[in-house]
C-alpha cells in the first residue's frame, strides 16, 4: 500500500537520485548533443500530467502531494487542461461565460502548489492553450460559437484570439 500522503523515507524513496535544484541552475536548454541541460548538468525528466481541478489542490494537500511525488522520482509536472473550465474544475472565474477572467482562489492555490513543487525539486510546465473555449462574451464574433471546442484554438492564427491568449498568459 502506498498512501497518497506518505513522503516518509523508505526503500522506494528516489529523492536522493533527483537533484533538489528546480530552477537553481537556470532554464533548461538543449545541448549540442541533443540532450537537455540545466546549466552544464544533464537532466532527464520523469513526470506526470495534472488536469482540471487536480491543478488546484488545497494548500494542506499541496504540502503532502509535492513531497510524495518527489519521493517517487517525479521531477516535472505538466499542468494540462486548466484553462477550459470554471473553478474548482479549472482556472476560469466562476459565474461568467467569459474566459477572460481567472479565479482568485484558483490562482492562489496554483501559486502555492507550484511553490511546493519547486521546494521539492519538481519543475512545472504550464500549458497555455488546451481546452479554452473562446466565445462571444470574450468579445469575439458570433461565428466562434459554431466551432467545436477543439476548433476554437485559433489563437495562433486570428489576431483577436492571439491578444486574448497574451492577456491570459499575463494574468496567469
Amino acid at each position: 500500500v502506498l498512501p497518497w500522503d506518505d513522503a516518509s523515507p523508505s526503500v522506494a524513496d528516489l529523492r536522493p537520485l533527483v537533484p533538489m535544484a528546480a530552477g537553481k541552475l537556470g532554464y533548461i536548454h538543449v545541448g549540442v548533443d541533443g540532450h537537455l541541460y540545466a546549466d552544464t548538468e544533464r537532466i532527464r525528466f520523469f513526470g506526470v500530467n495534472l488536469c482540471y481541478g487536480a491543478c488546484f489542490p488545497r494548500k494542506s494537500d499541496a504540502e503532502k502531494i509535492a513531497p510524495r511525488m518527489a519521493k517517487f522520482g517525479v521531477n516535472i509536472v505538466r499542468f494540462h487542461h486548466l484553462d477550459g473550465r470554471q473553478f474548482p474544475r479549472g482556472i476560469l472565474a466562476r459565474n461568467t461565460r467569459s474566459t477572460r477572467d481567472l479565479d482568485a482562489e484558483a490562482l492562489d492555490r496554483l501559486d502555492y502548489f507550484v511553490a511546493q513543487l519547486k521546494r521539492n525539486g519538481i519543475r512545472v510546465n504550464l500549458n497555455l492553450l488546451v481546452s479554452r473555449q473562446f466565445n462571444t462574451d470574450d468579445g469575439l464574433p458570433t461565428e466562434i460559437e459554431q466551432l467545436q471546442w477543439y476548433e476554437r484554438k485559433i489563437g495562433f492564427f486570428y489576431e483577436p484570439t492571439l491578444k486574448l491568449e497574451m492577456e491570459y498568459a499575463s494574468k496567469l
Side-chain angles (χ1 to χ4, degrees), residues 27-153:
Y27 293 105
I28 304 300
H29 65 278
V30 178
V32 294
D33 60 0
H35 295 291
L36 298 174
Y37 290 86
D39 194 25
T40 59
E41 185 177 327
R42 186 167 171 201
I43 188 165
R44 294 179 185 192
F45 292 110
F46 178 68
V48 297
N49 275 343
L50 293 178
C51 298
Y52 305 108
C55 299
F56 318 102
R58 292 184 306 262
K59 291 181 179 182
S60 59
D61 290 340
E63 293 170 359
K64 296 174 182 176
I65 295 167
R68 184 178 189 281
M69 285 182 174
K71 175 181 177 174
F72 291 109
V74 171
N75 65 352
I76 192 164
V77 170
R78 176 187 187 204
F79 289 95
H80 194 49
H81 287 285
L82 65 138
D83 64 337
R85 300 198 176 152
Q86 295 176 347
F87 185 77
R89 296 185 71 205
I91 201 166
L92 301 179
R94 296 168 255 200
N95 304 316
T96 180
R97 255 184 44 86
S98 173
T99 67
R100 296 182 71 178
D101 296 314
L102 307 184
D103 190 90
E105 184 178 352
L107 282 170
D108 183 53
R109 287 186 183 191
L110 179 65
D111 182 65
Y112 191 79
F113 190 25
V114 168
Q116 293 302 309
L117 292 169
K118 184 177 180 182
R119 177 176 287 137
N120 284 275
I122 301 171
R123 291 165 174 81
V124 300
N125 171 336
L126 284 169
N127 293 174
L128 295 177
L129 180 58
V130 180
S131 56
R132 183 177 179 186
Q133 295 184 48
F134 295 109
N135 61 58
T136 56
D137 288 3
D138 295 329
L140 297 173
T142 56
E143 290 81 8
I144 193 79
E145 305 283 344
Q146 297 170 8
L147 300 175
Q148 297 294 321
W149 74 269
Y150 53 86
E151 295 173 322
R152 295 185 191 192
K153 293 184 189 186

